[in-house]
Amino acid sequence: MALPVLSSSAVKFRRVLAHFPQELSLAFAYGSGVFRQAGASAEHGETNMLDFVFAVDDAVTWHMTNLLKNRNHYSFLKFFGPKKITTIQRYGAGIYYNTLVPCNDRMIKYGVISTDALIEDLFHWKTLYVAGRLQKPVKILAQNENSKLQAALVSNLKSAVTAAFLMLPESFSEEDLYMQIAGLSYSGDFRMIIGEDKSKVQNIVKPNVAHFQKLYSNILQDCPQVVYKHHLGRLEASIDKSPEGQFTQLMALPKTLQQKITALVNPPGKNRDVEEILLQVAHDPDCGFVVHQGISGIVRSSSIVQSVKTILTAGAKKSVAYSMKKLYKMTKGGLKKS
């Protein structure tokens, strides 16, 4: 099954790509500068920073070429060369961000991740950092013919649906499902305490339900537990909450999440296998909460390391400026809610 891509013919995004080395296995734009969020005016979207992720097969070569083209995008780390930049990239979520970069009369931020690291995150949710962004609508700008990457992109969406089913009640609305999915990569993220608008998940989903439908319709149509009436824009779900049903779903979760759940439930000193522990969790009335805790554990550690990395990759001045923008958005969101 091919991943439904939200491709864009918008010239402004492709013009940005023209400034960078073209050896990209995947390039996408995401965030409030691309998709309108609730509570923001159309004009606000036109001035927001544009966020990009570039997946590359050879990070050292890509950074070397980019340093020749765009040396001023990098912090003081440019003096250490492409190999050291790639070493730092591997820490945390495996992505290296250059932020607050002026480009075509807009401010942009772009992250560089190796194709192998991206595939691992999509399949196994090692950090859920870039995989989490790809569980929400994005604009695919470039994609090469990599069948393993294509399979990983689809696997990530299926895993998001499975995890959401485990955390939702037996019956729920389509919007409930998308809210649960959109919130996966924010579970445990310390930036949701300070730095992000508390209504962020709701603001992402409500104006973009049609985009979520396009992203997930194929998966939901193939799901036996869901009657998906796409022409009505509605789904009717009846999730099997029996221990047998939950065990099947738990066994389908990404490997890292299964390991996190195992570590939460398995007492120290006991050496039980993953299947035995997941069977125990499947019988637990708080099964959904345990899954949520496991996801939070993955996100928490990667978000902390990635934020610390920002001080190095952006430099002190840009880090402070970027943090102040985030705090302003958080405060503004809180005032609107009040």
Side-chain angles (χ1 to χ4, degrees):
M1 183 185 73
L3 179 73
V5 295
L6 299 174
S7 57
S8 170
S9 58
V11 177
K12 65 180 175 183
F13 297 116
R14 302 198 185 278
R15 279 182 178 161
V16 170
L17 283 192
H19 289 266
F20 297 95
Q22 295 303 295
E23 295 74 23
L24 303 170
S25 59
L26 180 72
F28 64 89
Y30 67 95
S32 58
V34 183
F35 294 96
R36 190 181 165 195
Q37 295 187 5
S41 64
E43 294 78 17
H44 187 62
E46 289 299 315
T47 56
N48 268 7
M49 184 161 64
L50 294 174
D51 297 302
F52 298 88
V53 167
F54 304 147
V56 301
D57 291 341
D58 184 340
V60 174
T61 301
W62 195 92
H63 282 298
M64 183 173 66
T65 309
N66 198 42
L67 280 164
L68 293 172
K69 288 171 71 79
N70 301 302
R71 190 172 178 82
N72 61 321
H73 292 184
Y74 291 81
S75 68
F76 68 92
L77 293 175
K78 60 180 168 245
F79 298 112
F80 294 94
K83 285 186 179 178
K84 181 61 71 177
I85 287 170
T86 302
T87 300
I88 291 166
Q89 178 179 306
R90 293 191 188 108
Y91 286 100
I95 188 166
Y96 185 104
Y97 270 104
N98 284 325
T99 190
L100 294 175
V101 174
C103 184
N104 296 348
D105 300 320
R106 287 287 290 270
M107 204 62 81
I108 72 165
K109 176 180 77 175
Y110 64 94
V112 183
I113 186 169
S114 78
T115 307
D116 288 342
L118 174 58
I119 288 171
E120 185 176 16
D121 196 29
L122 291 167
F123 272 130
H124 304 305
W125 287 9
K126 186 180 177 184
T127 69
L128 248 179
Y129 200 87
V130 181
R133 278 150 181 72
L134 284 160
Q135 289 162 0
K136 296 178 273 290
V138 302
K139 288 193 184 292
I140 303 288
L141 305 173
Q143 187 174 355
N144 68 9
E145 297 296 320
N146 183 329
S147 58
K148 191 174 181 183
L149 176 57
Q150 184 64 44
L153 288 162
V154 176
S155 174
N156 179 46
L157 298 182
K158 288 180 177 178
S159 296
V161 170
T162 302
F165 281 175
L166 282 161
M167 292 187 286
L168 286 163
E170 190 174 347
S171 298
F172 49 85
S173 70
E174 186 173 14
E175 191 173 288
D176 290 337
L177 174 63
Y178 298 145
M179 291 278 283
Q180 194 73 59
I181 289 171
L184 293 176
S185 61
Y186 296 115
S187 304
D189 190 336
F190 78 97
R191 291 170 302 176
M192 293 303 289
I193 301 168
I194 179 166
E196 289 286 6
D197 183 351
K198 301 299 182 291
S199 306
K200 189 173 182 72
V201 174
Q202 184 177 310
N203 293 346
I204 290 169
V205 174
K206 283 192 175 295
N208 295 299
V209 168
H211 293 308
F212 277 93
Q213 286 174 336
K214 189 171 183 181
L215 196 56
Y216 286 98
S217 62
N218 287 343
I219 291 167
L220 294 173
Q221 282 166 2
D222 292 340
C223 181
Q225 295 177 313
V226 170
V227 177
Y228 188 59
K229 300 182 176 178
H230 184 63
H231 61 290
L232 297 175
R234 189 175 78 241
L235 66 80
E236 293 173 4
S238 183
I239 304 305
D240 184 359
K241 289 292 179 180
S242 69
E244 295 77 16
Q246 294 196 137
F247 178 65
T248 301
Q249 291 169 350
L250 288 165
M251 289 297 290
L253 290 174
K255 181 176 70 177
T256 306
L257 180 52
Q258 289 181 342
Q259 291 168 345
K260 284 286 182 184
I261 292 169
T262 301
L264 283 168
V265 176
N266 201 28
K270 284 216 173 187
N271 191 21
R272 297 184 297 163
D273 63 29
V274 171
E275 192 169 330
E276 183 185 349
I277 292 163
L278 294 182
L279 186 59
Q280 176 191 327
V281 174
H283 283 80
D284 191 331
D286 292 326
C287 174
F289 178 71
V290 176
V291 172
H292 179 267
Q293 290 295 98
I295 293 169
S296 296
I298 296 171
V299 174
R300 187 178 300 111
S301 55
S302 65
S303 67
I304 289 171
V305 176
Q306 196 61 37
S307 293
V308 171
K309 253 172 69 173
T310 301
I311 299 168
L312 291 173
T313 61
K317 188 176 178 183
K318 281 188 177 181
S319 294
V320 170
Y322 184 66
S323 299
M324 292 305 291
K325 284 191 176 206
K326 285 286 185 183
L327 284 169
Y328 171 72
K329 283 172 77 174
M330 180 189 75
T331 309
K332 195 175 173 186
L335 288 171
K336 279 184 179 177
K337 206 169 182 182
S338 301

